[in-house]
Amino acid sequence: MDVIVAGNRPELGKAREAIGPGRYALVPTMGALHEGHRSLIRLAAEQADQVVVSVFVNPLQFGPNEDFSRYPRTFEADLEVCAAEGVRVVFAPAVADMYLPDRQVAVSAGAMGTVVEGAFRPGHFDGVLTVVLKLLNLVQPDVAVFGQKDAQQLALIRRMVADLDLPIEIVGGPTVREADGLALSSRNRYLSPDDRVTALQLSKALRAGAVQREPDRIKEAARAVLETAARLDPPLLLDYLALVDPATFTEVTEKHRGEAILAVAAKVGATRLIDNVLLDLG
């Protein structure tokens, strides 16, 4: 069956009517789809009868000095990916279809949105949660699928769903990596060959930390790799390395037991990359 493309709210409603009842899954994306997105679509197909993929580059989650205008837009290629994966509807609204010109109300990510990634991108998670809530309201899925690569985003969406009593199941899909270990990202296309050599130190640092079991040693092992990477050409410019509780994103202590996330963010040239690994501290 062909993919139905809905460019606005009325077209989305008609698409739902045409498909009919069943269990729906939503995979929200900003386009530039890659194998990581394919894995989320496949996971969504296991959870529901019909899969809806949204393609929307959300201006609210970009800061004034970030890459909104530069963010890759490959809609025709994205449609081909969706068709190949059996997606029934692609919802691709314009900014004017998503936000009123005099928009006033937004979602606040609270204190959890101001730490780790949020400390370096003020307001970012407010923009993420606002667009996600709108997409959930518009598509009305039974389940929504997000990638573990954006671990803090996933944790905040789960918290929003719990705090606002939304009748939607949130499923996290594992991070997909290239053969050399680099986490798949739409921004990887900006990396030069030399940039890529440096960027690989992110996953190397996470692996170094993951073999340790005590919080201090985990961060020490990862930081040693990152300090060496800072002397490469081009250098890796670290924003943060954090070991946090996966539900709250508060820093874990030496007494912490159970799951933890080792998260890192850094710039290589003009490209900012994030990565993380889920650990079990016993």
Side-chain angles (χ1 to χ4, degrees):
M1 291 180 286
D2 293 335
V3 179
I4 301 173
V5 178
N8 52 45
R9 300 172 193 220
E11 290 178 0
L12 178 62
K14 290 179 181 178
R16 286 287 307 246
E17 290 177 5
I19 295 171
R23 182 172 168 84
Y24 279 75
L26 171 65
V27 182
T29 82
M30 292 205 299
L33 303 185
H34 49 64
E35 193 61 34
H37 295 107
R38 285 180 182 265
S39 74
L40 298 181
I41 293 169
R42 292 166 189 162
L43 180 58
E46 295 173 2
Q47 307 287 324
D49 305 307
Q50 309 291 352
V51 176
V52 179
V53 170
S54 63
V55 176
F56 179 65
V57 184
N58 176 35
L60 266 61
Q61 67 192 70
F62 289 81
N65 298 315
E66 295 182 345
D67 60 348
F68 174 72
S69 61
R70 183 172 172 249
Y71 194 87
R73 291 160 170 84
T74 59
F75 188 65
E76 293 304 320
D78 295 342
L79 281 182
E80 292 179 5
V81 169
C82 289
E85 295 297 334
V87 171
R88 289 296 285 122
V89 179
V90 171
F91 180 44
V95 173
D97 292 309
M98 287 296 288
Y99 298 119
L100 296 172
D102 60 345
R103 180 187 62 85
Q104 297 184 42
V105 177
V107 179
S108 169
M112 187 174 163
T114 66
V115 298
V116 193
E117 182 74 2
F120 286 84
R121 303 182 69 186
H124 167 70
F125 288 117
D126 293 353
V128 169
L129 295 186
T130 297
V131 76
V132 169
L133 181 58
K134 289 176 72 69
L135 289 169
L136 294 178
N137 284 333
L138 289 167
V139 177
Q140 297 184 8
D142 300 282
V143 58
V145 180
F146 298 86
Q148 178 66 37
K149 177 176 172 289
D150 295 295
Q152 190 170 1
Q153 170 181 284
L154 176 59
L156 278 161
I157 290 168
R158 283 178 166 149
R159 187 59 192 256
M160 177 181 72
V161 166
D163 285 350
L164 300 184
D165 296 313
L166 302 179
I168 298 165
E169 179 184 357
I170 302 299
V171 173
T175 300
V176 177
R177 299 182 180 278
E178 300 193 33
D180 57 12
L182 185 66
L184 286 178
S185 169
S186 300
R187 292 182 170 93
N188 288 356
R189 67 189 66 200
Y190 298 141
L191 298 171
S192 70
D194 288 342
D195 289 344
R196 189 181 178 88
V197 171
T198 299
L200 289 174
Q201 303 309 303
L202 289 177
S203 58
K204 182 179 178 181
L206 295 178
R207 291 195 302 272
V211 299
Q212 306 296 325
R213 283 294 173 264
E214 297 176 11
D216 283 349
R217 291 186 177 182
I218 290 170
K219 289 198 289 186
E220 285 173 4
R223 192 171 295 280
V225 175
L226 297 171
E227 288 174 351
T228 299
R231 297 190 290 272
L232 297 177
D233 183 19
L236 186 142
L237 304 177
L238 182 67
D239 277 353
Y240 62 79
L241 174 71
L243 184 64
V244 296
D245 183 291
T248 65
F249 266 69
T250 55
E251 288 275 352
V252 305
T253 67
E254 287 297 311
K255 296 180 180 180
H256 182 86
R257 294 295 179 268
E259 291 186 337
I261 286 177
L262 182 61
V264 64
K267 287 183 179 177
V268 181
T271 305
R272 187 174 185 273
L273 300 172
I274 63 172
D275 201 351
N276 70 84
V277 64
L278 184 64
L279 307 177
D280 185 354
L281 302 188

